Amino acid sequence: MTSKIRWSLTTACVCFVAGVAGFQLMHTLPQIGWLALVAGIVALCLSRKFFYPVFLIAGWCWAWAFAAWALSNRLPAELEGKTLTVLASIITIPQCSRNVCRFNALIKSAETTGIAIVDKKSVSRHVKLSWYYPSQTIKAGQHWLLTIRLKRPHGMMNPGGFDYEQWLFANRIDATGYVRCKQDCKQLVENITFREWIQKQRHSLYLHLQEYLEISSVSGLITGMTLGIRDDIRPQQWEVLRNTGTAHLMAISGLHVGLVAGLVFWILKRLTAWVGVKRWSPHQLAAIGAMTCAVGYALLAGLSVPTQRALIMLGIIFGSVLLQTSIRPFHLLALSAVVVVIVNPLAVLSAGFWLSFGAVVVISLLLLGRNQALGYWQATWSIGWRVALGLAPLLLLFFGSVSVVAPLANLIAVPIVSLVVVPVSLFGVVLSDLFEPLASAAFWLASAALSTVMWYLEQLSVLPFSTLLRPRPDLWVVALGVVGVLLLLSPKGMQARWLGIILLLPAVFPRITGVDDGTARITVLDVGQGLSSVIETANHTLVFDTGIRLSPKFDMGSAVLIPYLRSRAISQVDTLVLSHTDADHIGGANALLAAMPVVHEISSYPQQVPGRSVEYCEPGKQWEWDGVSFIILAPLSPYFNSENNNSCVIQVTAGDDSVLLTGDIEAEAEIRLVDEYAERLASTVLVAPHHGSKTSSSSKFLDAVQPELALIPAGYCNQYGFPHRSVVKRYQNILMLNTAHSGAISLTIGGRQGFEGLQSVTEYRHQSIRYWNIR
């Protein structure tokens, strides 16, 4: 095959992948009528012998067909919240803590209200479930008759935040829900599939590892590197890994699978050459053995998406060895990428897809045109800083941060983890059922080596400016940044390499729309069933409540509030108001206090909330920031018996507009506010009291406030039924938005034109919606 044909095929592969990726920007699935237009464009391109656009369109159409098929299997809206009796198999290793187990299940049959659902499209197939207080031990590979309630894949939508709905869709999870069993759930004896058998073996190994690594502080990290299970990694460890750019080492990735395959290939090639097998060449036998071991390691990791990518690339490499043909790095990369997206077009939704292929591109550029070999440490350093620079635009896009110390971190961590921790841990896994003393010694050695690495990484992570935090740039800015780093990393002699710095600047210093003097930007974040709001003026920031803390590893401060503040380039909170001590209002406070400076804290219960020096929420206290006035209206004395009614209430006024933040007050407190302030309560925007509870938003209170817009901070399909039907009826003559359906809601008050109703309101879910998002 000539060089020209190879580059033509490579370009065609790149066009196909670009078509698949481009489709993921669609806001809705195209109508079937689009096929006629697509067919016309293809015919025109073929008649003009423009073949590359045809591959681009082919990728777009393949992604379209796959997306339509994937969405067709989602839970129908009419089954949402209904009680279903299902026969399901557990297909992931359950993660159990604090009386709850979470796992993925495959539904094989279902019925509701005693009537079997025959049409498979009427029930979701792949679901993510939570089982509170399970009656028996739950293990992967088991079959159960369960009573469950499901809801469509839904996640919180906030600027800078994690798109949970995208993650669910990319992982082909068709619904989420919980088990409602008491005594009516029972385990069944069924024939298990190969996939279920693999998960059963992985769970058994996982339990063994927990016994061996019970006292190790890095047990979760070793489990992640051997079995691909990262749930046991501590939040503090994740923070260290992110800050040092080494998170890729702590899960089974292409690097680890390639390492195992390369090591086996080298050993078998030497061994077969020494034995003297004549029918097959040593290279061919080594390729078969290496590929077999790579597949086994991938199965041990649950055949996750990163391992699938690695297997496809290794399959192409070892296939060329068997066929005794050579393949160049860029051709290999393009061919691997096109096979990956043919197998699973949704792979392009994963940050790992772009980062892994991007790393290979950077390494290939390093080797391009190099005539002399580099020494080990020189090669490791050269690859480290080039990969860090080359992936910087993508890291900013996906995570909003880049580790400045990543080259130093990887210089030590990569060789120790790759050459000691991973091989020794896998050796321990193999021996865990055969010879326990040697397995224990192997895990001790792996733990000691990894503990040393983590100590080194911790020292780097606390260095000043170890991590560059920036708001996530737009796609076009990232595209410019990618071109910029490719120029900077191009071989010496390339002209205009300095232009790369200019092209990279917009990604490093993105433009943020500020707030003018005399105006205030109010954002009610989507934190599920809870409350967190951010008020910005020209030079100050106030945070009103911080959402809920759902577990020791997950709270709305880390997941929603802090990413939003960073997306707005806010590095300090001037005032934090914690309205009261309910968990759904103060759960993210500790995370916020740890992440950035907070100048003042205010609460109606200062002695019960986190913080060193918390002021009492004193009614009548007022201040002004940048032409915007703030006044505390409640809690009024004497105190109520209900903590909800003692919530802080704050009114923010800019120009002729005002916003009333009410916490969780109920009718009693509302009436006292009306009696105390009367017409002074009038506000343009009302953040609805107590999430729209039927005990709040009384008619007398609404008559006094007279809002033009009401914002309901409520969770999607929440168990309390908020907002209550009676409350919705009271708001029927008022514009009403719910974070469950709108995502984060932002608006601006004050300024020359003042509040303009919905014209000045941004609903993040509608602004950033993609075809997989729930509407």
Side-chain angles (χ1 to χ4, degrees), residues 3-13 52 55 331:
S3 177
K4 183 177 180 180
I5 294 176
R6 285 179 175 176
W7 279 110
S8 296
L9 289 175
T10 298
T11 306
C13 290
Y52 294 139
F55 287 98
H331 303 324

Side-chain angles (χ1 to χ4, degrees), residues 139-204:
K139 294 184 178 181
Q142 292 178 341
H143 290 76
W144 283 84
L145 185 66
L146 300 173
T147 302
I148 63 174
R149 280 189 178 175
L150 299 174
K151 64 180 180 181
R152 292 178 293 170
H154 189 278
M156 295 165 290
M157 297 286 287
N158 298 279
F162 177 67
D163 191 343
Y164 185 56
E165 287 181 34
Q166 176 182 306
W167 183 88
L168 291 172
F169 180 61
N171 287 274
R172 296 296 326 286
I173 296 174
D174 304 309
T176 61
Y178 61 95
V179 178
R180 300 188 72 244
C181 296
K182 292 184 179 179
Q183 302 297 327
D184 51 343
C185 290
K186 58 182 179 180
Q187 185 180 347
L188 304 176
V189 178
E190 300 278 343
N191 293 327
I192 63 174
T193 64
F194 177 72
R195 178 185 182 182
E196 293 166 350
W197 181 83
I198 288 294
Q199 294 298 332
K200 186 176 181 180
Q201 302 309 310
R202 291 182 69 231
H203 196 173
S204 177

